[in-house]
Every structure is written in C-alpha cells, then in structure tokens.
Amino acid sequence: MSPHAEAAGKHLWMHFARMHGRDGANPIPVISKGEGAYLWDDRGRRILDGLAGLFVVQAGHGRRELAEVAAKQASELAFFPVWGYTTPPAAELAERLAHLAPGDLNRVFFTSGGGEAVESAWKVAKQYFKLRGKPLKHKVISRMTAYHGTPHGAMAITGLPAMKQDFEPLAPGGFRVPNTNLYRHPEFAGDAEALGRWAADRIEEAIRFEGPDTVAAVVLEPVQNSGGCLTAPASYFARVREICDRYDVLLVSDEVINAFGRHGVPFACAKFGFTPDILTCAKGMTSGYGPLGAMITSDKVIEPFLEPGVTFPHGYTWGGHPVSAAVALANLDLMEREDLYGHVLSHADAFEATLKKLTDLPIVGDVRGDGYFWAIELVRDKATGETFGAAERERLVKQFLPGALFGNGLYCRPDDRGDVVIQLAPPLIVGQAEFDEMEQILRATLTEAWSMV
C-alpha cells in the first residue's frame, strides 16, 4: 500500500464513501495526475475520466494556462471577501455571467459551490416574498429522485428519501412531484410530449394542494442528474414557466451540473426553451481549477432587495474568491476560444450512437441523456424492465462495478439512488476515440456483471 493510501485510510474522512476495511487488500485509490481526458493513479495506471471528475473538468486536466492564472492572481491578491466590497475578478465575472445568462438574469451572488447556490436560492425566494408582502410563501416544489445538495435547506429540496433519513428533521417546506423518466412510465408509450404535459400538470396540482399563497418556488434541473439523466421536452418547461407565472411562484433552474457546456451551451435552460427567475450553477464554471458557485437572479427578483435599508443577511467567506473568479474568467475564455460548446453540439449524436450500441446487452435497459451527459440504466429483466433487488444492488453497484470499471480503465459513476444506472459526463474535449474506449470498457465490464446476475 502506498503511503498516501495508508494515510488516507487512517485519517481521511471521505465524502459519500464507505470507509470500513480500506486496508492493504482494499486501499483507497490515489489519483496523482491528470492530463487531457485521462487520470493516472499512484501505480502508474492510466484511467479515462468518464465523469470529468464530478461533472466538473470541462476543459480537461492539466491546462497549464488556468494554473498560471491562479498563481498570478494569488500573487496579486489571494483573498478578499465580497461582503460589501468587490475585487476586479469578482466584478468582471459577475458581468460576464450576466451577459451569458438568458433573459434578464443580471445579478450574480457568488458561493463556494452548488449546494450553497441552491441554499441561497431558497433563502432569496423566502425573503423576496416577505419583502413583497407575501410572508406565507415559503414552500418549494421539486421532483422525485432529484438531488439538489447537502446543506439542510438544499437537502430538504432533494427528492431522495434514503439520503435524507439520517439527517431529519430537515428544513420544513419541501414537497415532491413526479419526474420525467419516460423509461419508467411505459403507459405513455414513448410519447415524451404526453409525459411532459402530465408531469407539468402535477406541479400545478401540487401548488393548488399546498395553496398558492404558501408556495415560493419550483426547483428543477434542465436534465435531472439523479435517477439517470432524465430529459423532458421543451413544452414541459414552457408549461412549468406558465404555471409559475400564473401562481406567482419563482422558477429556479438548478444547473450546477448542466451549465457551462455540458449540453453545448453556456446555460441549459436556454437550450430547453425557458428563462427561470433564478439560476444556480457551479462545477464547470472553473473546470475544477478553483471552487466556485453562483446564484443568478432576474431583475424582478433583485428589485425589492435594492430598496433603501434592505439587506440580504446571507453570505459565504469563500464566495467570489478572487483566485477562483480569475480562473473562471480564463476558463470561459478558453471554452470560447476552443469552441467547446460547438464541439459538444457536433459530437453529441456520435456519443449517443456509440453508447446505444450497448443496448444489445441483456443487462442494459435504457440509454438516455443529452449533450455530454448520459446514463445507462441496468435491469435484471430487459423484457419487463424489472430492476434489481437490494442484495443485487449491494453486490453490483457498491461492491463490483466501481472497482471493476476503474480496474478496466474507466472512471464513471455507478449509482442506485433511483434505479440502477451508470452515468457518463466526460470532459468536453473528448471525441470518437474516447467514446469508443468507453463503450468497449463498459461492454466488457457489463458482460461480466451480467454473468454475476
């Protein structure tokens, strides 16, 4: 065992990971280097990064120009808060994001990451309605299986009971509606438009059930992450926008994963045909070369906060960190200069077609997604769509797939927070050669997994 793996096994509290038994027979993997779309561990093995770290590294690993920008900014001004002040990078990035965002999303509140951005959005929504004389409007409606973050407020918006149960009671006010998983709604016979109408109507129904005077916001992702890259037609989002306007409810687009090129555009809501009142983002803003998130609000939402004497009593020490903001500006420049948005749009069909070759395997029930964000749903019975029981999930998702995929040279995400899926979201620089490599590794690993079933 390497000294780093040994030290981590004794002292590192890992995130979202089991820590029992991480000894010489099962050491914690140590990732020591990244270059382009590839990672190397401390044994010298090369692994294709099929998840962009954690939906983050849009521009790829080892981009020296981003590291140099960070070093230059740190040498000039390493830190100063935006608590009543600004720094040049924070001011410039706020302006840049306002110009990139659709509609009148013009005001940027910086956070350290995505969960904080969602937390901030809920707090803004509640204070916004208090300032407007509607103090009862505080509830939030989100979708089943959706994940929106780990802070207590963001977790209350999250639609994953198993993730919440150890921390309950959470902040009151979170309510759930159905998501848009077409594969798991066979009654719609593959008609995404019909499913979209039905699912949007459930949002209106929930608002009416709870009372429009008590509902502050609807929070949704343009492509829902948890549950496996769940898409919806543009008509769904248009209908949700109409419902929110009718009942004076703020629409929040959670784009912590979806933004910054994952779907071939700066912000996915524009691709899917709607403009929210609040947008949350993080991850790909810096391509992972610095921690940073943001909540972007419309002119309507910021208006009551600009009245004399009004303060939003909320903030984060690291929000708008000058080094991260400088890196974000350089990363956005790089993405535009190398046309990574266009690269995703021109290669997304090939990525889809390559992954859909796997549908000939008996364990693959569905392949779905958009852009460079795809999920493969695994099933026990392809004819009926039967999923796996608890013991099989434990064996496949927790024990076999992560190590087998990594050992075969692919880092991606087996996930059973909803149905059993493998998620793929590689750096935006990859092309057909990497698509083929992913497909070949997945094919070999899933063939072995099926033999276990």
Side-chain angles (χ1 to χ4, degrees):
M1 185 191 307
S2 75
H4 294 110
E6 184 177 7
K10 291 179 178 178
H11 303 293
L12 178 64
W13 193 320
M14 293 188 294
H15 297 202
F16 286 99
R18 295 178 176 180
M19 293 181 284
H20 172 74
R22 304 313 291 261
D23 52 21
N26 183 32
I28 297 170
V30 179
I31 306 302
S32 55
K33 178 186 173 183
E35 188 69 34
Y38 291 89
L39 305 162
W40 281 262
D41 69 8
D42 60 351
R43 301 189 211 174
R45 294 183 299 179
R46 190 180 82 156
I47 302 103
L48 176 58
D49 185 355
L51 203 64
L54 193 62
F55 316 103
V56 170
V57 190
Q58 317 295 64
H61 300 277
R63 301 303 293 248
R64 183 172 295 274
E65 59 266 49
L66 299 183
E68 290 172 348
V69 165
K72 181 176 184 295
Q73 179 59 48
S75 68
E76 293 176 357
L77 178 66
F79 175 75
F80 204 79
V82 293
W83 294 40
Y85 300 83
T86 191
T87 63
E92 291 173 24
L93 182 58
E95 182 180 41
R96 181 77 165 271
L97 294 176
H99 288 163
L100 285 174
D104 65 345
L105 292 163
N106 289 319
R107 189 67 64 143
V108 179
F109 180 93
F110 287 117
T111 66
S112 308
E116 292 176 356
V118 173
E119 189 87 358
S120 302
W122 192 0
K123 292 178 80 171
V124 159
K126 288 196 282 190
Q127 189 179 357
Y128 168 79
F129 283 113
K130 284 180 172 61
L131 291 171
R132 285 189 47 214
K134 297 185 176 184
L136 296 181
K137 289 176 79 71
H138 69 284
K139 297 174 185 175
V140 175
I141 293 168
S142 58
R143 298 186 291 190
M144 293 171 59
T145 321
Y147 172 77
H148 292 287
T150 55
H152 267 65
M155 185 162 281
I157 300 173
T158 289
L160 294 161
M163 285 193 66
K164 298 185 290 185
Q165 62 189 14
D166 291 333
F167 310 110
E168 291 177 323
L170 300 171
F175 295 86
R176 236 63 60 210
V177 293
N179 60 41
T180 58
N181 187 344
L182 188 59
Y183 181 68
R184 288 296 167 189
H185 281 283
E187 66 272 23
F188 290 100
D191 187 343
E193 292 288 340
L195 173 61
R197 288 192 299 272
W198 176 83
D201 287 346
R202 301 290 74 74
I203 293 175
E204 181 174 28
E205 187 176 76
I207 292 172
R208 291 172 64 88
F209 279 168
E210 290 304 317
D213 289 342
T214 72
V215 179
V218 170
V219 180
L220 50 77
E221 301 156 276
V223 176
Q224 184 175 314
N225 167 39
S226 185
C229 299
L230 307 180
T231 61
S235 59
Y236 166 80
F237 297 104
R239 173 88 173 105
V240 175
R241 175 73 272 180
E242 174 190 310
I243 291 166
C244 288
D245 290 341
R246 178 181 304 154
Y247 295 102
D248 193 19
V249 171
L250 298 180
L251 177 56
V252 181
S253 183
D254 182 356
E255 304 202 17
V256 171
I257 289 175
N258 296 160
F260 305 112
R262 185 57 50 195
H263 299 282
V265 291
F267 294 108
C269 58
K271 181 176 183 178
F272 292 97
F274 71 102
T275 301
D277 301 295
I278 302 175
L279 187 153
T280 60
C281 57
K283 293 186 183 289
M285 192 191 314
T286 66
S287 281
Y289 288 75
L292 190 63
M295 170 189 67
I296 311 174
T297 71
S298 68
D299 292 343
K300 177 183 81 172
V301 170
I302 191 64
E303 184 178 4
F305 292 89
L306 300 178
E307 292 296 317
V310 175
T311 300
F312 179 42
H314 174 67
Y316 300 100
T317 299
W318 306 115
H321 192 287
V323 175
S324 293
V327 169
L329 286 164
N331 178 59
L332 294 173
D333 286 342
L334 184 158
M335 293 179 68
E336 291 179 5
R337 184 172 66 249
E338 298 186 3
D339 191 22
L340 293 186
Y341 301 115
H343 181 81
V344 169
L345 292 175
S346 63
H347 287 77
D349 288 347
F351 192 17
E352 176 182 7
T354 304
L355 291 178
K356 283 191 172 178
K357 292 179 182 179
L358 296 167
T359 56
D360 67 347
L361 298 176
I363 198 172
V364 174
D366 192 28
V367 175
R368 56 181 177 260
D370 179 83
Y372 270 31
F373 189 34
W374 289 85
I376 300 162
E377 182 165 341
L378 308 183
V379 293
R380 159 170 253 290
D381 187 319
K382 194 164 185 156
T384 64
E386 179 189 355
T387 189
F388 299 97
E392 290 172 321
R393 285 175 178 238
E394 170 68 24
R395 192 174 175 204
L396 277 174
V397 181
K398 301 298 192 298
Q399 296 179 12
F400 174 71
L401 283 172
L405 287 163
F406 191 82
N408 289 335
L410 177 63
Y411 166 68
C412 57
R413 187 180 200 182
D415 187 10
D416 68 341
R417 292 176 296 175
D419 294 302
V420 177
V421 298
I422 293 177
Q423 286 187 300
L424 296 154
L428 308 187
I429 59 174
V430 304
Q432 190 60 53
E434 291 80 14
F435 302 158
D436 289 339
E437 185 176 355
M438 281 185 258
E439 190 271 341
Q440 290 158 15
I441 294 172
L442 286 162
R443 180 173 294 278
T445 308
L446 292 177
T447 299
E448 186 178 355
W450 181 248
S451 70
M452 296 170 57
V453 175

